Amino acid sequence: MNKKALITGASRGIGEAIARKLASEHYDLYLTCLHSEEKLHALATYLEQEYNVSVGAFLCDVSSCKEVDKLFRHIPSLDVLINNAGISYIGLLTDMSPQAWDRVLGTNLNSLFYTSRNAIPLMLQRHRGKIINISSVWGECGASMEVAYSASKGGVNSFTRALAKELAPSGIQVNAISCGLINTEMNLHLTEEERCSLIEEIPTDRMGNTAEVADMLYAVLSMPSYTTGQIFTIDGGWR
């Protein structure tokens, strides 16, 4: 029987790459996104046909406790939870509205609470499971003009370490992957000059790609059960 994984924010970027990787490794999938329903269903259909796995596609605002609770009515069992959904805000903190702050923290951090509190009971039934949270290097060192994003990812890291300690006696691993500059739509706001300036600071002299993050995630999934509470960094040697 195939293992089952839930991936949030799976219609594009890192989430889509993770879905493709896990489907190729014979995982049945539950995929969510907020807006791109047509694209998500097209991805689900492709993965089912290409890899002969079961894929469920759901619109879900993971910043809403009620919507996440509703999502889990469709998930009777789960081996892997991947909290990938995330948004950013670029601008001065003093120009940021409370609503914008709440959207970033709700999507990037509160969602981990909502999904984990539903997933953990399913994993406890079998005394095993894996939770992987997608974080960012800005969660450790902070980024100017991205205070909310940095704060949310710092929270992701602390959430990961604390929950790992809580669940370790139950055989459930909790880890995070901290991404550096990855070539996704989230970075489309960068000018060519800004992009080049950032790349100059990266020893590998390039941006990472989403397939590399997916490969790293699968490697973390394959690690021994003694590996938990870790923040694995993929940043081209930037730090």
Side-chain angles (χ1 to χ4, degrees), residues 136-182:
S136 167
V137 294
W138 299 132
E140 297 181 57
C141 58
S144 175
M145 306 287 283
E146 293 187 69
V147 174
Y149 182 80
S150 299
S152 69
K153 293 303 184 178
V156 168
N157 293 344
S158 294
F159 181 99
T160 298
R161 295 186 179 102
L163 187 61
K165 293 178 179 178
E166 185 172 317
L167 296 179
S170 300
I172 300 171
Q173 296 167 258
V174 187
N175 293 294
I177 295 176
S178 179
C179 299
L181 187 63
I182 307 298

Side-chain angles (χ1 to χ4, degrees), residues 13-239:
I14 291 172
E16 179 184 352
I18 292 170
R20 291 177 181 272
K21 177 65 178 179
L22 294 192
S24 74
E25 298 293 344
H26 312 296
Y27 277 76
D28 290 332
L29 303 175
Y30 302 100
L31 309 179
T32 79
C33 72
L34 181 57
H35 298 299
S36 305
E37 183 175 15
E38 184 176 338
K39 187 173 182 180
L40 189 69
H41 280 282
L43 174 63
T45 299
Y46 168 79
L47 295 177
E48 285 186 328
Q49 295 175 349
E50 181 72 14
Y51 299 109
N52 193 30
V53 295
S54 172
V55 184
F58 305 91
L59 280 184
C60 179
D61 180 358
V62 293
S63 71
S64 164
C65 181
K66 289 183 179 179
E67 289 203 24
V68 173
D69 288 349
K70 182 179 177 180
L71 167 68
F72 270 84
R73 295 175 193 165
H74 302 279
I75 303 177
S77 64
L78 195 66
D79 298 283
V80 176
L81 167 62
I82 299 166
N83 287 306
N84 167 73
I87 58 174
S88 64
Y89 175 94
I90 311 297
L92 294 170
L93 181 70
T94 49
D95 292 336
M96 190 176 195
S97 69
Q99 293 77 18
W101 175 273
D102 288 344
R103 281 197 300 273
V104 173
L105 271 292
T107 302
N108 296 1
L109 182 57
N110 293 355
S111 62
L112 274 64
F113 166 55
Y114 303 145
T115 57
S116 296
R117 70 191 288 269
N118 279 281
I120 290 167
L122 300 177
M123 296 176 177
L124 288 174
Q125 293 174 7
R126 290 178 291 177
H127 204 75
R128 70 174 186 271
K130 299 174 189 289
I131 299 173
I132 299 182
N133 303 315
I134 303 301
S135 188
S136 167
V137 294
W138 299 132
E140 297 181 57
C141 58
S144 175
M145 306 287 283
E146 293 187 69
V147 174
Y149 182 80
S150 299
S152 69
K153 293 303 184 178
V156 168
N157 293 344
S158 294
F159 181 99
T160 298
R161 295 186 179 102
L163 187 61
K165 293 178 179 178
E166 185 172 317
L167 296 179
S170 300
I172 300 171
Q173 296 167 258
V174 187
N175 293 294
I177 295 176
S178 179
C179 299
L181 187 63
I182 307 298
N183 191 13
T184 67
E185 291 183 23
M186 190 175 285
N187 294 312
L188 289 179
H189 68 279
L190 296 172
T191 66
E192 186 61 27
E193 182 180 354
E194 289 171 334
R195 191 186 309 269
C196 291
S197 177
L198 287 170
I199 290 174
E200 284 179 359
E201 299 179 13
I202 302 172
T204 52
D205 198 34
R206 65 175 177 86
M207 301 174 74
N209 62 63
T210 58
E212 289 174 310
V213 179
D215 286 342
M216 184 168 186
L217 182 138
Y218 186 71
V220 173
L221 283 178
S222 304
M223 288 182 175
S225 60
Y226 201 58
T227 306
T228 194
Q230 304 304 305
I231 314 297
F232 296 97
T233 301
I234 179 168
D235 65 359
W238 182 68
R239 285 189 309 108

